[in-house]
Each structure stands twice: as C-alpha cells, then as structure tokens.
C-alpha cells in the first residue's frame, strides 16, 4: 500500500487529478449513486499514463540516459511516449502491422520512435525485446510490474477521496495492472468495498487463468474492446495473484453489451470512448452487475477514431 502513496507523490508533479462525475442516468437505472471516473481526460487519453510516469520516475540516471522501449496496441505505447517526452527520455515504441493506422499516426506524432514490425503483438514484442537488449533500453511493461501497478492504484486513492461512502468499483479486466492497483488501494482502506472486473466474452486471458488457478494462454478474438485482449504471461509475477486477492467479482460481456455501453456514454454524457472503457457501463445496463451502494465505474480510455465509433454505436442510437 505504501507504494501507491509513493506513486501518488511522484505523479503529483506530472498529472492532474482526473474528473469524477455523477451519472444521473445510471443512478436512476440502478437505484444507487453511480459515478464515472474519467481517465479519458488524461493527456494521453487513458489511465495507462499513471503507470508509465511512475515507472519512469524510479529509473536511475543511467537508465534514463539510455532510454526506454515498449510494445503496445495503442494506449500503453502512447502513455510511455508522452511520459518519456515530458521527462526528456528517449523512447522506442513497437507495434505490429495489425495496429490501426489512427493509432500509428498518433504514435508518430508523440515524439517517440515508432517501429512497425510483425503480424501480431507477440512478434512486435519479440522485436522489442531483441532491440532493447541490443540498444540497452529499459522495457516499460504494460501491467506486470510493481511500479506500474502502484501508478494505476492512485485511481483508487482519488476515488476514496471523492466518494468516501463508496461501496463498489468497476473496471475492465485484462492484464490486471489497473484492478491490482485499485484493489490494493481500496481494500486496504475498507475490505468491504466490492471490486468487479469486466472481461470480453472471448479471449479473456486473466479471467480464464483465475478459473483454472494458473496463468494460461488462450486465443484472441476480434472485439470492440481490443484493449482488453492479450495474454497475462505464463511467468506472470504480480497481477495474477493480486487479482486473485483483490477482485471479488468477475464477469464477461458480450459485444452487443459493449456497444450499448459505448452508445449510452455518448448519448447521455457526450463521451466518445473505446470499447474497453465502456464495459462497466455495459455490465450495469444488462444487469450483470447490480450495485447495492455508491459505485464508481472507471472509464479507462478514448483510443478510438470517430469513424469506428460511429460504426459501433450507430445501431444502438438508431442511425
């Protein structure tokens, strides 16, 4: 828990507290106060920036001088690129050819060196590992590292400050860095606070791993919530056990419900968010979660282009 407080102190000089708004529409539907934590308002447009800044802040002088690298499908790479630029650290970001052109363009304009290589995330990751060793770069992991977890955990501290009566917190569950950090922060304050993780219906590596009791690999499937895809690593050291310890409830969400969550946030709050950011809302709307008291939903990121957003939410809005 001390690591989360240390992260908060480090982040204070780099990032502002993100907004928390009450959703009157969701509160009316659920019968209890429901709040939205808008991590979409981060400079890189996702919660990933917290972990990136915290990780870079603890590097020693030599590591900062040599530079850092990351492999990503979007949000993590943008976060590392932004944080590195602010701290005058060289950054190389590796992505596969399958990453959308919109995300590639954003990375090209981020100040980092973009390397597009391989057909898959695994191939991009392998190239990142190889070139980082050759160039002496420090790889910034996307989730399975104590400083990444602590950085994301600062969200939990902000929620406790703004909603001291909070009884539940809901967020997407993928690699587990986000809910490992939030879970640590809120459970050490009040073990009774319910922590819920929402995964995609197909390709939910963490959820499947928890079910069988050890990290496993499972195939990925196309989804609106592409940020929730990816393995947790068979040698996972931190997030698997943290999710076992801190997450009370897990559920998976169908694609139609992800789209409904995105559409609801657009219709009622004028928020354009990626699928992974809308899973908490989608789960509440379809009754997969039934909050019994003040509840916070973490709206994690806005990494989606306007055309794709329109194609997904159009049917929900009847246009």
């Amino acid at each position: 828990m001390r690591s989360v407080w240390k992260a908060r102190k480090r982040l204070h000089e780099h990032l502002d507290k993100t907004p928390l708004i009450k959703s009157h529409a969701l509160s009316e539907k659920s019968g209890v106060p429901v709040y939205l934590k808008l991590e979409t308002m981060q400079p890189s447009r996702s919660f990933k920036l917290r972990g990136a800044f915290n990780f870079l802040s603890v590097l020693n002088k030599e590591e900062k001088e040599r530079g850092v690298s990351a492999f990503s499908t979007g949000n993590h790479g943008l976060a590392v690129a932004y944080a590195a630029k602010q701290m005058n650290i060289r950054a190389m970001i590796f992505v596969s050819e399958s990453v959308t052109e919109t995300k590639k363009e954003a990375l090209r304009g981020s100040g980092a060196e973009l390397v597009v290589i391989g057909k898959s995330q695994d191939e991009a990751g392998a190239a990142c590992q190889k070139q980082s060793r050759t160039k002496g770069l420090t790889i910034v992991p996307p989730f399975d590292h104590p400083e990444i977890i602590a950085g994301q955990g600062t969200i939990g501290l902000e929620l406790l400050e703004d909603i001291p009566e909070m009884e539940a917190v809901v967020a997407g569950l993928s690699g587990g860095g986000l809910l490992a950090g939030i879970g640590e922060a809120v459970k050490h304050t009040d073990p009774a606070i319910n922590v819920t993780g929402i995964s995609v219906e197909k390709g939910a590596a963490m959820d499947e791993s928890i079910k069988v009791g050890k990290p496993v690999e499972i195939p990925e499937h196309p989804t609106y919530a592409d940020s929730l895809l990816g393995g947790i690593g068979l040698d996972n050291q931190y997030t698997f056990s943290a999710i076992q310890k801190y997450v009370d409830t897990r559920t998976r969400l169908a694609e139609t419900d992800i789209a409904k969550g995105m559409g609801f946030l657009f219709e009622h709050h004028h928020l354009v968010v990626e699928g992974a950011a809308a899973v908490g809302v989608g789960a509440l709307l379809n009754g997969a979660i039934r909050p019994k008291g003040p509840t916070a939903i973490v709206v994690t990121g806005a990494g989606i282009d306007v055309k794709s957003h329109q194609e997904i939410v159009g049917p929900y809005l009847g246009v």
Side-chain angles (χ1 to χ4, degrees), residues 11 26 37 80 82 88 97 104 116 218 233 237 241 263 265 291:
L11 297 187
L26 289 174
K37 181 63 168 169
V80 172
Y82 180 89
N88 295 313
E97 296 169 6
K104 291 175 188 173
V116 181
I218 62 172
Q237 298 180 62
S241 58
L265 286 169

Side-chain angles (χ1 to χ4, degrees), residues 285-301:
L285 292 175
N286 80 352
I289 57 174
R290 300 179 183 276
K292 299 178 181 179
T295 298
I297 297 176
V298 184
V299 182
T300 50

Side-chain angles (χ1 to χ4, degrees), residues 169-173 179 195-199 247-252:
V169 58
V170 183
L173 175 61
L179 281 176
V195 178
T196 295
I198 313 295
S199 302
V247 174
D248 303 288
T249 309
R250 305 185 320 277
T251 188
R252 299 191 190 187

Side-chain angles (χ1 to χ4, degrees), residues 22-34 264 268 284-285:
K22 183 175 182 180
S23 173
H24 295 285
L26 289 174
S27 299
E28 184 175 341
K29 282 184 174 293
S30 62
V32 299
V34 177
F264 189 94
H268 293 275
L284 190 149
L285 292 175

Side-chain angles (χ1 to χ4, degrees), residues 151-303:
Q152 321 307 22
T154 59
I155 294 173
L157 297 182
E158 292 180 14
L159 290 174
L160 290 166
E161 281 183 345
D162 291 342
I163 324 170
E165 69 280 15
M166 180 175 67
E167 294 188 15
V169 58
V170 183
L173 175 61
S174 180
L178 175 62
L179 281 176
I182 291 176
E184 181 178 0
V186 302
K187 289 290 191 180
H188 275 79
T189 301
D190 184 353
I193 295 174
N194 181 277
V195 178
T196 295
I198 313 295
S199 302
V200 291
E201 193 170 43
K202 298 179 180 180
M206 179 62 82
D207 187 55
E208 195 64 32
S209 296
I210 298 295
K211 284 184 177 181
V212 302
K214 65 179 181 179
V216 296
E217 292 180 346
I218 62 172
E220 294 184 5
H221 297 266
T223 173
Y224 295 144
D226 57 343
S227 295
L228 296 185
L229 292 176
I232 68 169
L234 295 180
D235 59 346
N236 187 289
Q237 298 180 62
Y238 303 103
T239 59
F240 175 72
S241 58
I243 297 304
Q244 285 183 310
K245 182 178 182 180
Y246 295 126
V247 174
D248 303 288
T249 309
R250 305 185 320 277
T251 188
R252 299 191 190 187
L253 204 62
E255 294 298 296
T256 53
D257 290 317
I258 296 173
K260 288 176 182 178
M262 295 170 69
F264 189 94
L265 286 169
F266 182 75
E267 180 181 18
H268 293 275
H269 298 288
H270 294 187
L271 293 172
V272 176
V273 306
E274 62 189 80
V279 294
V281 172
L284 190 149
L285 292 175
N286 80 352
I289 57 174
R290 300 179 183 276
K292 299 178 181 179
T295 298
I297 297 176
V298 184
V299 182
T300 50

